[in-house]
DNA sequence: CTGTTAGCGCATTCAG
DNA sequence: CTGAATGCGCTAACAG
């Protein structure tokens, strides 16, 4: 009886979770795989995921793509060892070979990472449209020499955002100088270094598209270091709209993804799989994006 | 046989973790309790803790002091339900009533939170000395009207840093105007709001001590919003030396805690308890602090 | 040293 | 509808 148990638990009795899990064949635990907790982008998602799962009675274990040695076999062991009931990848890495192992009906959802094989649930924003929106915005402001700073190449977000961006440039008949394309990590440091490089090319770009906000903040800091005014001398646009983008120090113009909605949706998809007994076909949720205009985009410097 | 098992596991056999845990009476899982993952201070610590535990073969479950309803009973259930073998609180909250429940030999370590009752392992930096160092630095730069922005009052860090600060002011015969003391959350938003308030008082303070870096970044942004130059018009000093403090946009002068060392030490203390069979007395590790001079402290504006 | 058995603490079954 | 027995999948203790 549930009521009896509730009362018992309240009175000081606590069931052994391992024993319960052994018999119910449920661990009431889900794992969240992130690439790098230190990137301010992830905590915003983790917090919501964690909260949603906690509300539904699930514990959350954290896996780090960077530091967990042999993540692949580690995850496999957790799954086969029945230590987790479900899994959400909050990681844009394309070449993580993990997904393939969980096709067999194990509940998996991909958050912020597109799913080429449509074999598991996926929640993404319209990264391609976002890339297009960036190109459109910048070109409409008068820019013709635009640089792009990408995250790791093996990342679906970098790939899709770049593709949309280039498509739209092409559609608007603006040439793209491949010299102005750099790829690094999704980190402030990477944005800073690549920003310095880019701003030192001659002629320098009049605008820089950073494939995510953390990168964009690094680019802004690079401009600051080089005493290049934003947006007077160079425009910068990011992607994500993390909290910090709105800070007074940055006031970054960026493409907003509804991070909170996406995280909630991802949790919901996973929870449905965890509680439903029927087989559910893989679903893909694509969230719309929108431009948030703040203070880092303006017309190009008076062209000679 | 371990060897047999190893081979078996490699060939595709994976033991059921619940069954194993039921018999070994170990979950090989530890929990990390944080107040707010979204605060950039925590991920730096979580990452290291997580990594150290992973290396030692422990999974990490995440608990959020903010969102996990009834954290206290939740943790108790995990402990009594044998779902976790140990616990680290990365939270400065003083009034969390949780600690008392785990006195009975359950492995607990407090990271960045002082331990008034000396009943569990504790890893902190010398917050009091840090507070003193701040006062000394500011007064030596010529400041006599110094404001302080604190985190939540029920926080050991806020309490100790403030105490050290006031002690040293007193020792140097500098009066403290209690009008210039504000307390809020350890968040950028709080720092921003309180910073605005403080900078609008008249006469305004010539320096502001923010009890942690996130708060200090908020204060810097407040100055930026009000077009008040740092450090020409107002000096700002923080505490922690998180990564962002070094960013070009801030270049914050701050008191450095060896966050990484502290996290590693905390993990080590806990792992010792997890692997040793003897009773280990509670230990307290106090890490030294040091001043990191960047660009936000200077002499006060030419005094009339 | 290898193979067999008992039992960890539950939820679920079956009998009463 | 209530109560005792079964067994989930392992590891440890035991016997051969």
């Amino acid at each position: 009886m549930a009521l009896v148990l509730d009362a018992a638990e309240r009175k000081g009795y606590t069931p052994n979770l391992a024993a319960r899990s052994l018999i119910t064949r449920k661990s009431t635990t889900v794992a969240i795989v992130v690439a790098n907790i230190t990137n301010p982008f992830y905590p915003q998602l983790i917090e919501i995921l964690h909260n949603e799962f906690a509300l539904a009675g699930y514990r959350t274990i954290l896996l780090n793509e960077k530091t967990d040695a042999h993540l692949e076999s580690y995850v496999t062991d957790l799954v086969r060892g029945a230590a987790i009931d479900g899994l959400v990848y909050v990681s844009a890495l394309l070449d993580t070979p993990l997904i393939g192992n969980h096709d067999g009906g194990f509940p998996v959802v991909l958050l912020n990472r597109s799913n080429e094989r449509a074999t598991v649930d996926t929640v993404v924003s319209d990264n391609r449209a976002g890339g297009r929106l960036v190109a459109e915005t910048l070109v409409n402001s008068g820019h013709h020499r635009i640089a792009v700073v990408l995250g790791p190449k093996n990342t679906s977000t970098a790939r899709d955002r770049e593709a949309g961006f280039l498509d739209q440039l092409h559609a608007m008949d603006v040439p793209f100088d491949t010299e102005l394309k750099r790829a690094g990590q999704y980190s402030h440091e990477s944005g800073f270094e690549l920003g310095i490089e880019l701003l030192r090319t001659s002629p320098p770009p009049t605008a820089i598209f950073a494939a995510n906000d953390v990168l964009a903040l690094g680019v802004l800091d690079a401009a600051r270091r080089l005493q290049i005014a934003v947006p007077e001398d160079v425009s910068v646009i990011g992607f994500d709209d993390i909290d910090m983008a709105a800070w007074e120090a940055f006031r970054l113009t960026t493409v907003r993804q509804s991070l909170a909605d996406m995280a909630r949706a991802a949790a919901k998809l996973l929870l449905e799989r965890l509680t439903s007994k029927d087989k559910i076909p893989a679903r893909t949720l694509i969230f719309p994006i929108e431009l948030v205009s703040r203070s880092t985009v303006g017309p190009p410097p008076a062209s000679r």
Side-chain angles (χ1 to χ4, degrees), chain A residues 246-280:
Chain A
W247 286 11
E248 197 67 25
F250 304 112
R251 301 204 37 76
L252 178 70
T253 293
T254 189
V255 176
R256 169 178 297 161
Q257 318 191 52
S258 314
L259 259 22
D261 292 342
M262 290 168 67
R264 266 187 292 269
K268 187 158 167 258
L269 290 184
L270 192 64
L271 287 169
E272 278 174 24
R273 282 188 191 277
L274 294 180
T275 50
S276 150
K277 224 27 201 168
D278 322 313
K279 290 286 164 235
I280 302 175

Side-chain angles (χ1 to χ4, degrees), chain A residues 137 213 236-239 245 250-255 291-297:
Chain A
T137 304
D213 281 354
V236 175
I237 189 166
F239 207 116
F250 304 112
R251 301 204 37 76
L252 178 70
T253 293
T254 189
V255 176
L291 187 74
V292 180
S293 287
R294 285 193 274 248
S295 312
T296 58
V297 170

Side-chain angles (χ1 to χ4, degrees), chain A residues 280-295:
Chain A
I280 302 175
R283 296 154 294 181
T284 296
L285 265 38
I286 301 183
F287 279 68
I289 46 78
E290 68 180 310
L291 187 74
V292 180
S293 287
R294 285 193 274 248
S295 312

Side-chain angles (χ1 to χ4, degrees), chain A residues 143-289:
Chain A
H143 295 275
H144 290 83
R145 183 166 171 76
I146 308 174
V148 29
V149 179
L150 299 171
K153 292 187 202 91
N154 59 346
T155 245
S156 69
T157 44
R159 186 197 56 192
D160 296 345
R161 292 169 191 181
E162 180 192 9
F165 174 77
L166 294 180
D167 278 1
Q168 184 64 22
L169 272 197
H170 187 73
M172 295 177 92
D173 274 323
V174 175
F176 179 67
D177 181 351
T178 52
E179 294 293 308
L180 294 183
K181 170 172 150 187
R182 301 295 151 96
Q185 298 306 120
Y186 276 136
S187 69
H188 178 274
E189 195 185 352
S190 229
F192 186 77
E193 289 167 3
L194 300 176
I196 297 271
E197 283 182 34
L198 249 13
L199 292 168
R200 279 186 175 149
T201 58
S202 65
T206 65
I208 300 179
F209 168 33
N212 86 1
D213 281 354
V214 183
L215 234 26
L217 301 185
V219 171
L220 287 180
D221 275 344
R224 213 178 305 244
R225 166 70 68 87
L226 297 179
Q227 316 237 49
I228 294 174
V230 176
E232 291 77 6
D233 296 329
V234 66
S235 288
V236 175
I237 189 166
F239 207 116
D240 284 346
D241 196 31
I242 60 176
D243 292 342
M244 286 172 47
W247 286 11
E248 197 67 25
F250 304 112
R251 301 204 37 76
L252 178 70
T253 293
T254 189
V255 176
R256 169 178 297 161
Q257 318 191 52
S258 314
L259 259 22
D261 292 342
M262 290 168 67
R264 266 187 292 269
K268 187 158 167 258
L269 290 184
L270 192 64
L271 287 169
E272 278 174 24
R273 282 188 191 277
L274 294 180
T275 50
S276 150
K277 224 27 201 168
D278 322 313
K279 290 286 164 235
I280 302 175
R283 296 154 294 181
T284 296
L285 265 38
I286 301 183
F287 279 68
I289 46 78

Side-chain angles (χ1 to χ4, degrees), chain A residues 20-37:
Chain A
R20 170 180 286 179
S21 150
L22 191 56
I23 187 71
T24 59
R25 312 185 144 276
K26 295 184 55 206
S27 60
T28 56
T29 302
V30 300
I32 302 182
V33 181
V34 300
N36 179 7
I37 322 177

